[in-house]
Amino acid sequence: MLLLLSPVQALGATEAPVIDVLYMVQSGYQPDALLERTQEYRRHSPNRVRLHFVEYKDLWEGIQRGIHHGAYDVVLTDVIWTHRLVSEGALLPVPPPLARTIRERMVPQVARTFELEGELWAFPFFMDFQLLFSNRMILDAAGFSHPPRSLEELTRMARAIRDRGILPYPIFFSLAREEILMCKVLIWTGAFGGDLAPFGEGDRIRVDTPEAVQAVSWLQELLREGLLNPYSLASDEVFAAEVFLAEDAAFTTNWVFLLGKIQESAGPVARAGVPSAIPVASARAGEGPGGGQTTVNGFQGFSVLASSNHPEAAWDYVAFLSEIDFHQKNPFELAPWKGVWEDRTEGDPYFALKVEQLSALRDRPYHRKYLEISEIFQRWVHRVLRLEMDPLQGLEAAQAEIEELLEGVSP
């Protein structure tokens, strides 16, 4: 979808630059918020802005169009793409004045996420991660007074909800053969105390660890027992959110944007939908910081492509779009600014929960071959979840193929 938000204006004899911006229709701040903010920019600057909205699954392809065909100046980038884009010379580093602002005025976890070779390559926009969402009315009907606090309790609750005839499939996860599958398995691997690759460890990637096998085995068992809706295997996060909003699931995990969707809903879920930390296996409860929780780093930011004809105007728009007052008006996401955090301690009922998740973040492998790594992983894990093979067999096959891919390749 393309929206041209301002008329042609002149700067003396020179036509005002046109800035093409690629954004996502899915999680994060919703398109209406960007449209409103861009209208404000129209009053601030003679520059013209065209917003282009695509689904997350089409975002990488759109970035490629921007790189090779000059389609976009500004693109929303996922943290997992930074290494590849930088290695290909596709991005401009954040200008020094903006980089200083980011390092001085944003929370510490943000800068390191988009930093490589001493430079920042994106202006952080939102700090996304996954939460567990439970339907309180369904829990009450099944005799439970709180969301699950461990994986074992989540399984027991789901079994009770099904056995009492409240819902045939109490759990709905998005497990389509897309990037979200990597995110989900990483979350549940963290629930068993493991990881796929420590941040910054380059090509030291292991997807067949005992914890990863436990995670995939748990998902497979939920499917075998009929607790996890089989349509999960074809679902992305938007569809999973709709299922929860329609009260067809007692439990789901999703990005922070679902908080806003719940509160905006006209149905009973507006009162019944509650977020909580994603539970871990009971053996991990009470471990150190973040030990009792698990989630995945989904931070995203705005980058300016090296192919842009108007980099100064592009950075001007990005800086305006991402100022503190924008985040103050749109409270559902966790903003990267320290100043917003100071304002939110009383105004956002879920602020403490959101901040707490930062100690439980798992990072997907940081590697310039990440897209290929993820595709291999998705393919084998999806076969396991379709009950075609054993979890250990599937993950060992994925590991072998990933090692072959990375042989002789630097991070």
Side-chain angles (χ1 to χ4, degrees):
M1 177 171 59
L2 166 65
L3 289 151
L4 181 60
L5 292 180
S6 57
V8 176
Q9 300 178 33
L11 285 174
T14 306
E15 187 177 89
V18 178
I19 308 163
D20 284 285
V21 181
L22 181 65
Y23 191 71
M24 172 181 62
V25 181
Q26 193 163 323
S27 60
Y29 294 109
Q30 297 301 289
D32 285 351
L34 266 76
L35 291 169
E36 181 180 349
R37 184 65 171 178
T38 305
Q39 291 285 12
E40 293 177 22
Y41 182 74
R42 174 182 172 179
R43 296 187 288 271
H44 161 83
S45 169
N47 298 337
R48 294 184 293 152
V49 177
R50 290 188 292 218
L51 289 175
H52 306 254
F53 297 102
V54 297
E55 295 182 8
Y56 176 85
K57 63 184 178 64
D58 299 318
L59 193 55
W60 175 255
E61 182 181 339
I63 292 172
Q64 296 304 301
R65 285 198 302 272
I67 294 169
H68 300 295
H69 304 291
Y72 310 111
D73 301 278
V74 177
V75 294
L76 185 73
T77 51
D78 193 324
V79 61
I80 56 175
W81 301 328
T82 305
H83 277 53
R84 179 161 181 165
L85 292 172
V86 172
S87 71
E88 294 175 350
L91 303 182
L92 294 177
V94 177
L98 291 181
R100 282 195 298 273
T101 297
I102 291 168
R103 291 188 172 103
E104 292 172 3
R105 298 175 58 195
M106 289 190 175
V107 294
Q109 292 92 336
V110 171
R112 66 117 191 184
T113 298
F114 294 103
E115 194 164 24
L116 187 65
E117 300 174 357
E119 299 272 16
L120 284 171
W121 299 95
F123 197 106
F125 193 51
F126 57 90
M127 305 172 71
D128 215 356
F129 44 82
Q130 296 244 324
L131 294 165
L132 177 72
F133 294 88
S134 305
N135 187 306
R136 187 165 43 200
M137 288 196 299
I138 295 175
L139 294 187
D140 288 345
F144 302 111
S145 60
H146 56 79
R149 297 167 180 163
S150 69
L151 283 190
E152 295 85 352
E153 190 172 33
L154 172 58
T155 305
R156 287 196 302 272
M157 287 181 171
R159 193 176 292 127
I161 291 167
R162 182 202 58 191
D163 292 348
R164 295 178 190 185
I166 299 171
L167 276 178
Y169 296 108
I171 303 173
F172 199 102
F173 296 146
S174 47
L175 299 172
R177 189 177 146 182
E178 298 175 4
E179 179 58 29
I180 190 58
L181 185 58
M182 171 68 90
C183 295
K184 296 294 188 183
V185 175
L186 179 55
I187 288 170
W188 300 119
T189 299
F192 288 101
D195 219 324
L196 300 181
F199 184 95
E201 288 293 320
D203 59 354
R204 292 179 58 192
I205 296 167
R206 300 294 309 184
V207 300
D208 61 346
T209 62
E211 297 85 0
V213 173
Q214 284 179 293
V216 177
S217 298
W218 181 71
L219 290 171
Q220 191 186 67
E221 186 55 36
L222 291 180
L223 287 161
R224 288 187 185 278
E225 194 177 341
L227 301 177
L228 175 60
N229 194 315
Y231 283 105
S232 294
L233 298 184
S235 171
D236 62 13
E237 293 296 67
V238 173
F239 187 78
E242 293 300 325
V243 170
F244 186 78
L245 293 172
E247 301 185 276
D248 288 330
F251 305 109
T252 193
T253 55
N254 215 316
W255 305 105
V256 177
F257 85 106
L258 185 49
L259 273 175
K261 295 289 188 184
I262 290 171
Q263 295 181 40
E264 293 166 359
S265 172
V269 76
R271 299 183 300 277
V274 293
S276 62
I278 297 175
V280 300
S282 57
R284 288 197 59 222
E287 291 182 4
Q293 300 172 20
T294 181
T295 190
V296 61
N297 184 338
F299 294 4
Q300 299 202 12
F302 282 112
S303 295
V304 173
L305 296 179
S307 57
S308 170
N309 292 320
H310 310 290
E312 291 185 7
W315 283 120
D316 181 69
Y317 172 75
V318 167
F320 182 86
L321 178 62
S322 307
E323 284 178 357
I324 286 181
D325 65 317
F326 170 83
H327 297 279
Q328 289 169 330
K329 296 175 185 175
N330 298 276
F332 299 130
E333 298 294 329
L334 185 61
W337 296 102
K338 295 176 185 176
V340 178
W341 282 34
E342 294 165 2
D343 294 340
R344 290 281 170 82
T345 52
E346 296 181 3
D348 181 354
Y350 302 118
F351 177 76
L353 171 65
K354 294 174 188 175
V355 172
E356 201 175 59
Q357 301 316 294
L358 299 184
S359 63
L361 286 175
R362 259 69 188 178
D363 292 297
R364 286 165 285 174
Y366 278 62
H367 199 286
R368 61 192 177 97
K369 288 285 188 181
Y370 175 78
L371 290 172
E372 293 86 346
I373 293 166
S374 181
E375 190 282 326
I376 292 168
F377 186 78
Q378 295 166 35
R379 175 160 34 86
W380 285 105
V381 170
H382 217 249
R383 288 191 62 184
V384 172
L385 297 182
R386 295 199 307 266
L387 309 182
E388 296 175 5
M389 60 197 313
D390 173 82
L392 178 59
Q393 180 188 12
L395 291 181
E396 286 181 339
Q399 182 66 35
E401 192 171 339
I402 290 170
E403 289 178 359
E404 183 178 356
L405 169 74
L406 299 183
E407 186 175 357
V409 178
S410 65

